[in-house]
């Protein structure tokens, strides 16, 4: 853009009166049009360590406005002055992002929607696409898992100076995100004029968990004039400790029956399981960042940066689950004992149950009474530890008035380790353990009533003779058969990458039309090792026995004297409003001592099988770009533009194992699959100034996103036959596709933006994306050797182990493939105004309409659905923020809302009926008082309305789950000393 139009907005925004004399303060203009671009700190490459000069960005950072108004003003300057569309969140000071979580700060930006993990923002989607590239200071950053992006939970927000969201890239931007790009910016020593010492200390309370935990951050930065130029050093450290609780209720899939007592001959649906859960978790984040800058002279800068993030996540789960709601006497896996799964007054001894079932006129389940229910209680422990270290160094050199050169070298090392272990107790007592398929029932449980007629489901254990609830049944240890089963899983992943880039800029100093020419190259080399065991589910055997399945009966609690159990007080589930009975569970210390507990129960901890559990992925990329910037200042409407293209070659290698089809042995063959593709990604950004405050943008580009590594895995994972009852009797297998191609997006944006005051703006954006090669599940029938398969041909009707060719059986093999094209279109509108009185108001609204192929998806009536919205996308979402700020006092409230969205087209064990999440909103607020220029105190709260979330299968009449999380209140003391 021209010098005049690059500088004017920054100067104008410091003086609040210039534009307000021209436009009425209360004017509301509705403009629809939008442009997406890709670069946000005043010429994106200028802010990037590997880009060109930083003169423009440095000048923008000198706007002398502080507090909430200051952060909004700086974010607006980034949006207004760049020659691409970008939205930003700026931290006014260390530890002072508007939200305490990176993802939750991003949800305030139009077009961004988030998902939460145990009540905290975790993942984001931009305009419905989760293929979002994450960067740290313009470089790659990732978590060592099977994906490509950084888990936004991992990095403490206190380390960040700001976050920029690019929705439509230009040629300078690194490829890899069709949804967009999120760049996390840390501070540099030259950001401040001299020495700076800052810190914060926070005490947070989570109300549902009833827990108080501290967090703290510290920053030191200084710069010095030396005999060899100016130098600066910065050190930033942060530690967050958090605890949470999440209560949830989840249902299994729904099966159709036509033999329900009182509804014979009518097709009705019944859930396979009801589970009630309480999660208690701990989060710890430790972050360290350091930076060095050295300017030997005005034309050269040398820098180095380092960041280390260490994230520990611990989750303890306690649950009561009731299942086996079945009446199929032929189902030997989920057997119901002579077809007595459904209670009926016609069965001798059950005459008291005169109204055992109820359904809506449409056949949807309301309540039911079941015999032979499988009731278990579970204690579970899962934890994750992710460490990401990032090191970067480079220099910038202004060779002369025209030529600028920069280069950057980076190394990333990341590790993630996780363990998941749970232990089940079986409720109920068999009168004859050897008669597990006879009249005594399968599990020895009294009848169970499941009732959906209240606000939430309830479960009651009732007396067979009277039909009345048995008081305290689940809290009496004598009513437990004993130790039933345990399950463990482990993951241990490593990834590292080295990357290098070089950029050149040639300025056309005397040109009226041409501004500058930019070009550069970038090379990367990433290696990733994924170790992921299968879920190792095993029945607990009697002590000293190798025959766990000799009887269905559980092992009495007394037979493992070193094992321990306790009564868990479920009574306050959903703040005491749930129908969850109190029950016994395995004690925490036993479940946490994972390896010793597994050995105590007669098994070995799960290990990594080199053939089935370990994959090695390698990826090299070679990229080059060229971009020309040009414009015209002399006409009635000045304009500027950039046009360029990025050429990228990707080479992937997958080393693993492949399972042979139609062979009567476990035939696994080593494979090393190499795949490559080359892409040309053009881009164009145009901007016209109708007035110095009103600008129109147009952008067009082609973007690509490479498949996550787990989608490339060639190994065929066979499903467990035991759980086939959840899929209507079908056995499923799955594998990746090492030849999977990227997804591509041809995207177009146009926007109209009016900047009418300091921090005040009105904008409208329209966008369209044509996405090619959506990933979908391609399902075919394939025959594989399954040594666990049992043949049901014995004279007494029991099953026997298969032998040889008998073990080759059909599976529904699901593999990923590139499917048909999809479309995304929508609007973003936003309005923000800051008044002289100190009051401010901000709101934005996003409408996104999407259509993606969904082969095999079905409605609850079994009708196939060819297209569905994108997973995770709400069609409507909005933010409303109100704030008031004076010199010593500020208050801010923020409400975020999004409507129903598709969670997945393939929910676990639910066949092909899509799972949806109902609309949800969250209110957050903060109050701050400044004692002086150094000290301040703030009080903030999240989830103040105690929002309860809900999701369902296909229709709200078929619930899947309810979720309740903490309200969090935090008190923070801030100190900021500038010398």
């Amino acid at each position: 853009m021209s010098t005049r139009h690059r500088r004017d907005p920054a100067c104008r925004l410091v003086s609040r009166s210039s534009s307000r004399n021209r436009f009425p303060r209360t004017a509301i203009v509705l403009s629809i049009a939008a442009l997406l671009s890709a670069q946000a700190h005043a010429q994106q490459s200028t802010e990037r360590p590997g880009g060109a000069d930083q003169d423009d960005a440095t000048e923008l950072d000198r706007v002398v406005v502080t507090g909430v108004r200051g952060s909004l003003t700086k974010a607006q300057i980034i949006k207004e002055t760049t020659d691409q569309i970008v939205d930003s969140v700026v931290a006014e000071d260390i530890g002072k992002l508007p939200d305490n979580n990176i993802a939750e700060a991003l949800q305030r930006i139009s077009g961004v929607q988030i998902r939460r993990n145990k009540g905290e923002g975790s993942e984001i989607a931009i305009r419905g696409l989760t293929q979002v590239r994450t960067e740290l200071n313009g470089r790659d950053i990732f978590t060592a898992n099977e994906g490509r992006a950084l888990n936004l939970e991992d990095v403490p927000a206190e380390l960040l100076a700001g976050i920029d969201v690019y929705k439509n890239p230009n040629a300078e931007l690194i490829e890899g995100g069709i949804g967009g790009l999120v760049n996390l910016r840390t501070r540099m020593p030259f950001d401040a004029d001299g020495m700076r010492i800052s810190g914060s200390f926070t005490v947070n309370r989570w109300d549902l968990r009833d827990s108080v935990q501290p967090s703290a951050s510290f920053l030191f930065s200084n710069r010095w004039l030396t005999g060899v130029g100016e130098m600066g050093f910065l050190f930033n450290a942060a530690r967050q400790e958090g605890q949470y609780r999440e209560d949830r209720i989840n249902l299994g899939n729904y099966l159709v029956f036509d033999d329900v007592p009182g509804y014979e001959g009518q097709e009705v649906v019944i859930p396979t399981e009801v589970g009630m859960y309480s999660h208690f978790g701990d989060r710890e984040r430790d972050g360290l960042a350091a930076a060095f800058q050295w300017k030997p002279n005005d034309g050269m800068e040398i820098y180095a940066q380092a960041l280390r993030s260490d994230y520990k996540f611990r989750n303890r789960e306690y649950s009561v689950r009731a299942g086996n709601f079945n009446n199929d006497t032929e189902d030997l896996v989920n057997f119901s004992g002579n077809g007595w799964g459904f209670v009926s007054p016609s069965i001798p001894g059950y005459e008291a149950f005169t109204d055992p079932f109820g359904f809506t006129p449409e056949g949807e389940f309301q309540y039911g009474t079941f015999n032979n229910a499988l009731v278990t209680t579970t204690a579970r422990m899962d934890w994750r530890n992710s460490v990401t270290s990032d090191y970067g160094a480079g220099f910038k050199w202004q060779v002369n008035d025209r030529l600028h050169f920069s280069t950057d070298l980076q190394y990333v090392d990341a590790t993630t380790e996780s363990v998941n272990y749970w232990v089940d107790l079986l409720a109920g007592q068999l009168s004859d353990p050897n008669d597990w398929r006879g009249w005594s029932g399968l599990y020895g449980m009294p009848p169970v009533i499941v009732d959906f007629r209240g606000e939430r489901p309830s479960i009651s254990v009732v007396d067979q003779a009277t039909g009345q609830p048995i008081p305290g049944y689940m809290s009496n240890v004598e009513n437990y058969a004993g130790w039933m089963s345990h399950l463990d899983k482990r993951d241990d992943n490593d990834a590292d990458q080295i990357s290098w880039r070089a950029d050149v800029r040639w300025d056309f100093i005397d040109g009226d039309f041409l501004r500058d020419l930019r070009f550069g190259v970038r090379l990367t080399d990433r290696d990733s090792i994924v170790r992921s065991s299968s879920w190792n589910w095993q029945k607990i055997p009697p002590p000293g026995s190798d025959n766990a399945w000799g009887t269905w009966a559980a092992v009495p609690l007394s037979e493992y004297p070193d094992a321990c159990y306790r009564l868990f007080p479920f009574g306050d589930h959903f703040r005491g409003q749930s129908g969850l009975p109190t029950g016994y569970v395995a004690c925490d210390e036993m479940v946490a001592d994972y390896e010793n507990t597994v050995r105590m129960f007669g098994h070995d901890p799960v290990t990594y099988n080199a053939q089935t559990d370990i994959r090695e992925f390698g990826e090299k990329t070679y990229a080059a770009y060229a971009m020309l910037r040009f414009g015209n200042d002399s006409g009635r409407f000045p304009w500027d533009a950039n046009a360029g293209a990025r050429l990228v070659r990707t080479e992937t290698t997958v080393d693993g194992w492949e399972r042979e089809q139609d062979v009567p042995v476990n035939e696994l063959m080593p494979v090393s699959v190499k795949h490559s593709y080359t892409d040309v990604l053009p881009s164009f950004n145009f901007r016209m100034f109708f007035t110095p405050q009103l600008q129109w943008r147009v952008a067009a580009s082609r973007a690509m996103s490479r498949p996550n590594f787990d989608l490339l895995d060639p190994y065929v994972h066979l499903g467990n036959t035991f759980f086939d009852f959840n899929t209507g009797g079908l056995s499923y297998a799955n594998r990746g596709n090492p030849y999977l191609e990227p997804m591509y997006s041809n995207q177009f944006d146009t926007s109209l933006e009016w900047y009418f005051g300091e921090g005040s703006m009105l904008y409208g954006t329209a966008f369209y994306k044509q996405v090619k090669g959506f990933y979908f599940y391609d399902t075919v029938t394939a025959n594989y050797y399954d040594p666990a398969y049992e043949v049901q041909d014995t004279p007494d009707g029991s099953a026997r182990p298969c032998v040889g060719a008998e073990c080759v059986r059909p599976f529904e093999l699901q593999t990923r493939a590139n499917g048909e094209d999809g479309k995304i279109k929508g609007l973003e509108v936003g309005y923000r105004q800051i008044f002289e009185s100190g009051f401010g108001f901000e709101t934005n609204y996003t409408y996104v309409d999407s259509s993606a192929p969904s082969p095999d998806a079905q409605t609850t009536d079994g009708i196939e659905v060819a297209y569905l919205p994108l997973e995770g996308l709400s069609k409507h979402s909005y933010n409303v923020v109100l704030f008031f700020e004076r010199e010593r006092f500020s208050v801010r409230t923020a409400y975020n809302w999004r409507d129903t969205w598709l969670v997945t087209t393939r929910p676990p064990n639910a066949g092909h009926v899509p799972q949806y999440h109902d609309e949800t909103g969250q209110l957050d607020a903060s109050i701050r008082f400044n004692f002086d220029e150094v000290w301040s105190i703030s009080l903030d709260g999240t989830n103040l309305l105690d929002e309860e979330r809900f999701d369902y299968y296909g229709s709200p009449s078929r619930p899947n789950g309810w979720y309740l999380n903490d309200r969090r209140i935090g008190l923070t003391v801030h100190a900021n000393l500038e010398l």
Side-chain angles (χ1 to χ4, degrees):
M1 81 186 91
S2 69
T3 302
R4 183 186 68 194
H5 292 293
R6 185 168 55 234
R7 310 289 193 198
D8 283 353
C11 301
R12 173 177 55 80
L13 288 172
V14 177
S15 173
R16 303 178 211 166
S17 61
S18 59
S19 66
R20 291 184 179 176
N21 291 334
R22 187 173 303 172
F23 298 101
R25 182 180 303 173
T26 57
I28 299 177
V29 174
L30 181 59
S31 30
I32 296 177
L35 149 54
L36 283 160
S37 83
Q39 224 116 246
H41 323 15
Q43 286 22 327
Q44 148 179 309
S45 66
T46 67
E47 286 276 317
R48 291 169 170 257
D53 69 83
Q54 285 185 307
D55 294 342
D56 298 336
T58 300
E59 179 168 331
L60 294 177
D61 286 342
R62 293 294 179 265
V63 177
V64 185
V65 186
T66 60
V68 175
R69 176 177 297 181
S71 64
L72 295 176
T73 298
K74 291 180 181 179
Q76 176 172 308
I77 291 173
I78 293 173
K79 180 179 179 66
E80 178 180 2
T81 58
T82 183
D83 56 359
Q84 308 176 76
I85 296 182
V86 64
D87 292 289
S88 298
V89 178
V90 174
E92 52 181 308
D93 201 350
I94 177 175
K96 295 179 183 176
L97 274 176
D99 297 271
N100 291 320
N101 173 280
I102 295 173
E104 290 174 358
L106 289 172
Q107 73 179 331
R108 311 298 177 197
I109 292 176
S110 59
V112 177
Q113 297 173 348
I114 72 170
R115 293 189 186 187
R116 289 183 166 84
N117 176 27
K118 303 298 184 293
E120 186 174 283
S122 176
E123 301 175 1
I124 71 166
I126 300 178
R127 293 175 174 175
L129 291 168
T130 57
Q131 291 78 14
V132 176
R133 175 178 168 79
T134 53
E135 294 184 354
L136 177 70
N137 298 315
R139 307 184 189 97
D140 267 326
I141 188 72
F142 49 82
T143 298
N145 51 29
E146 296 175 330
R148 296 181 172 275
L150 176 73
N151 190 319
L152 295 179
E153 292 184 58
D154 292 4
V155 178
E158 288 87 346
L159 296 183
L160 300 185
I163 313 169
D164 303 313
V165 177
Y166 307 97
K167 301 174 184 175
N168 198 325
N170 70 7
E172 281 185 295
L173 278 173
I174 301 171
E175 74 289 338
I178 61 173
L181 183 154
V182 173
N183 183 37
L184 310 179
R185 288 185 284 115
T186 58
R187 292 173 173 81
M188 295 290 283
F190 287 175
D191 291 347
D193 292 328
M195 180 185 293
R196 184 178 189 184
I197 302 174
S198 300
S200 65
F201 180 79
T202 302
V203 175
N204 287 302
R205 182 180 185 274
W206 289 262
D207 73 327
L208 192 61
R209 176 70 183 270
D210 192 19
S211 169
V212 176
Q213 294 294 317
S215 296
S217 61
F218 172 78
L219 178 142
F220 170 82
S221 176
N222 202 1
R223 55 197 296 177
W224 307 270
L225 284 174
T226 72
V228 292
E230 187 174 15
M231 295 185 180
F233 174 75
L234 179 146
F235 174 77
N236 194 180
R239 176 174 176 82
Q240 291 182 353
E241 296 184 18
Q243 296 190 328
Y244 67 84
R245 173 175 166 182
E246 178 179 84
D247 289 347
R248 65 183 176 97
I249 303 171
N250 283 112
L251 308 181
N253 66 309
Y254 291 75
L255 298 181
V256 179
F257 296 91
D258 61 3
D259 60 345
V260 176
Y263 295 85
E264 290 84 357
Q266 177 182 345
E267 288 192 347
V268 295
V269 294
I270 294 177
T272 58
E273 178 182 281
V274 179
M276 300 191 178
Y277 308 78
S278 278
H279 297 263
F280 294 76
D282 304 88
R283 291 182 169 101
E284 294 181 8
R285 295 181 182 88
D286 291 293
L288 297 172
F292 170 76
Q293 284 178 290
W294 173 28
K295 294 188 72 172
N297 53 58
D298 289 340
M300 181 174 291
E301 179 186 323
I302 298 170
Y303 60 86
Q305 292 173 283
L307 179 139
R308 185 180 190 273
S309 172
D310 187 341
Y311 177 58
K312 296 181 179 67
F313 174 83
R314 302 287 186 273
N315 179 64
R316 300 187 305 279
E317 175 192 300
Y318 312 94
S319 66
V320 175
R321 292 174 293 152
N324 193 48
F325 303 151
N326 197 350
N327 208 45
D328 184 0
T329 60
E330 302 300 322
D331 186 350
L332 297 180
V333 171
N334 202 31
F335 197 77
S336 319
N338 287 330
W340 283 11
F342 298 162
V343 166
S344 170
S346 63
I347 300 174
Y350 291 84
E351 292 83 1
F353 298 91
T354 58
D355 183 26
F357 288 91
F359 298 88
T360 68
E362 295 75 26
E364 303 290 348
F365 181 82
Q366 288 189 306
Y367 59 92
T369 311
F370 304 93
N371 190 27
N372 298 323
L374 170 63
V375 179
T376 58
T377 65
T378 299
R380 173 183 178 183
M381 182 81 69
D382 63 276
W383 62 267
R384 173 172 76 91
N385 187 191
S386 294
V387 179
T388 299
S389 300
D390 172 82
Y391 309 94
F395 75 91
K396 306 170 188 177
W397 180 26
Q398 183 175 340
V399 182
N400 53 45
D401 290 344
R402 294 179 180 270
L403 183 61
H404 305 257
F405 174 77
S406 65
T407 186
D408 187 85
L409 181 67
Q410 180 207 19
Y411 175 71
V412 180
D413 179 68
T415 61
T416 293
E417 186 177 3
S418 64
V419 173
N420 201 313
Y421 180 58
W422 69 41
V423 178
D424 295 330
L425 296 180
L426 179 65
Q429 289 283 4
L430 288 173
S431 58
D432 182 358
N434 296 316
D435 186 21
W436 66 275
R437 282 165 36 196
W439 293 89
S440 62
L442 178 55
Y443 305 111
M445 277 293 297
V448 170
I449 295 178
V450 178
D451 195 337
F452 283 11
R453 288 173 293 183
E455 187 174 352
R456 298 173 194 86
S458 64
I459 303 174
S460 303
V461 181
V462 297
D463 185 86
Q464 175 181 331
T466 66
Q468 298 302 309
I470 303 175
Y473 181 89
M474 295 296 294
S475 59
N476 184 351
V477 73
E478 299 299 323
N479 293 326
Y480 286 77
W483 304 105
M484 178 61 181
S485 60
H486 60 160
L487 179 148
D488 56 334
K489 186 185 190 313
R490 304 181 84 156
D491 293 271
D492 187 3
N493 304 326
D494 300 289
D496 62 68
Q497 176 176 296
I498 187 168
S499 59
W500 170 79
R501 67 179 293 170
D503 301 86
V504 176
R505 190 183 91 199
W506 178 268
D507 291 337
F508 299 98
I509 297 176
D510 302 323
D512 293 331
F513 177 72
L514 298 178
R515 305 296 162 79
D516 61 59
L517 174 65
R518 307 181 183 204
F519 54 91
V521 295
R522 181 174 183 267
L523 311 176
T524 71
D525 188 352
R526 180 186 294 194
D527 292 302
S528 178
I529 300 178
V530 175
R531 307 172 189 88
S532 181
S533 76
S534 59
W535 287 95
N536 187 34
W537 182 73
Q538 301 177 94
K539 186 177 181 297
I540 295 175
S545 171
D546 293 328
N547 186 15
W549 290 101
T551 173
W552 183 261
V555 180
L557 299 174
S558 59
E559 292 194 21
Y560 281 102
D562 293 332
C564 58
Y565 50 90
R566 69 185 180 104
L567 190 64
F568 187 82
F570 285 110
D572 64 344
H573 195 243
F574 275 77
R575 304 191 189 277
Q577 299 177 9
S578 169
L580 179 61
T582 294
Y584 277 88
V585 298
C587 58
D588 290 350
E589 54 268 33
M590 188 180 80
V591 180
D593 191 11
Y594 154 60
E595 293 191 355
N596 288 329
T597 300
V598 170
R599 293 189 179 99
M600 178 186 66
F601 285 139
H603 296 121
D604 293 322
V606 67
T607 58
Y608 301 114
N609 183 300
Q611 296 179 330
T612 62
D613 300 334
I614 301 177
R615 307 287 175 267
E616 295 188 27
F617 302 93
E619 181 177 273
K620 296 181 179 181
T621 68
Y622 310 86
Y625 76 90
M627 188 177 78
L628 180 66
R629 297 175 65 248
F630 50 95
N632 184 358
D633 292 336
S634 60
R636 168 74 181 276
F637 301 114
W639 61 272
D640 57 30
N642 66 67
R646 191 173 187 90
L647 176 66
V648 186
R649 178 171 176 80
T650 305
E651 298 177 353
T652 62
T653 302
V654 182
D655 293 322
W657 295 79
E658 197 167 47
R659 187 189 298 269
E660 293 291 312
Q661 293 189 41
D662 299 310
V663 294
V665 293
N666 242 350
E667 189 72 28
L668 298 177
M669 304 294 294
V671 293
S672 182
V673 181
K674 299 182 183 298
H675 185 47
S676 62
Y677 40 88
T678 301
D679 299 295
V680 178
L681 307 173
S683 64
F684 173 76
N685 289 273
F686 171 86
R687 175 173 55 168
M688 177 176 288
F689 297 88
F690 296 127
T691 72
Q693 294 79 34
L694 181 63
Q695 50 186 281
W696 170 51
R697 299 179 186 263
V698 175
S701 67
R702 179 175 173 84
M704 58 92 80
S705 283
R706 302 177 181 93
N708 286 344
F709 292 122
D710 62 320
L711 303 185
L712 307 179
D713 182 3
Y715 182 72
V716 176
H717 299 266
L718 303 181
N720 193 323
T721 310
F722 184 87
F723 297 104
D724 287 354
F725 68 89
N726 282 327
T727 60
L730 295 176
S731 297
Y732 280 93
N734 65 83
R735 60 160 287 175
N737 177 3
Y739 296 101
L740 199 62
E741 296 288 331
M743 292 171 57
Y744 298 93
S745 175
N746 296 326
Q747 43 201 29
F748 307 91
D749 299 83
T750 182
S751 71
L752 195 61
E753 303 164 4
W754 179 29
Y755 302 94
F756 57 90
E758 179 187 295
S760 299
M761 62 179 176
L762 177 67
Y763 64 89
T765 301
F767 57 87
Y768 175 82
K769 291 176 181 279
Q770 183 183 40
V771 182
K772 296 180 177 294
F774 269 111
Y775 303 139
F776 77 102
Y777 287 101
D778 188 16
T779 304
V780 297
T781 300
N783 298 316
Y784 291 104
Y785 178 79
D786 179 12
Y789 184 58
E790 293 185 336
V791 180
Q792 300 170 8
D793 63 355
T794 56
D796 63 353
S798 62
R800 63 173 177 82
C802 63
V803 178
E806 292 178 331
C807 299
V808 178
R809 68 185 190 92
F811 287 83
E812 295 295 302
L813 176 63
Q814 298 179 333
T815 186
R816 289 287 186 150
N818 293 100
E820 302 178 20
D821 299 348
K823 298 178 181 179
I824 305 170
K825 56 187 177 182
L827 301 171
E828 298 171 359
V829 292
Y831 167 62
R832 181 172 67 221
Q833 186 161 4
I834 302 176
F835 300 95
E836 296 285 357
S837 61
F839 281 101
F841 172 80
E842 179 178 11
T843 184
N844 60 60
Y845 164 78
T846 303
Y847 167 82
V848 186
D849 184 24
S850 67
S851 177
S854 56
D856 300 330
Q858 298 177 356
T859 67
T860 56
D861 297 325
I863 300 174
E864 292 189 2
V865 182
Y867 287 85
L868 284 171
L870 290 173
E871 292 183 359
L873 171 66
S874 293
K875 179 174 285 190
H876 305 277
S877 61
Y878 65 82
N879 288 280
V880 177
V881 181
L882 300 174
F883 56 90
F884 173 77
E885 182 176 48
R886 303 301 290 174
E887 181 179 356
R888 290 190 176 275
F889 175 78
S890 66
V891 60
R892 174 179 179 268
T893 61
Y895 183 73
N896 173 269
W897 179 90
R898 57 182 302 196
D899 72 354
T900 301
W901 70 88
L902 174 67
V903 177
T904 177
T905 59
R906 296 291 182 91
N909 301 324
H912 302 276
V913 177
Q915 178 183 341
Y916 293 91
H917 196 295
D918 203 13
E919 63 182 48
T920 183
Q922 180 165 308
L923 178 68
D924 306 326
S926 63
I927 301 173
R928 178 170 173 171
F929 181 79
N930 302 317
F931 294 103
D932 52 34
E933 293 183 354
V934 177
W935 295 96
S936 64
I937 188 169
S938 62
L939 180 70
D940 66 276
T942 60
N943 190 29
L944 296 178
L945 298 181
D946 201 23
E947 181 74 9
E948 182 177 314
R949 296 176 290 121
F950 169 71
D951 58 15
Y952 54 87
Y953 297 124
S955 167
S957 62
R958 296 190 184 179
N960 169 64
W962 292 258
Y963 308 83
L964 185 69
N965 297 98
D966 299 89
R967 289 173 293 214
R968 184 195 60 83
I969 303 295
L971 181 66
T972 304
V973 177
H974 307 265
N976 182 42
L977 181 63
E978 297 188 22
L979 302 173

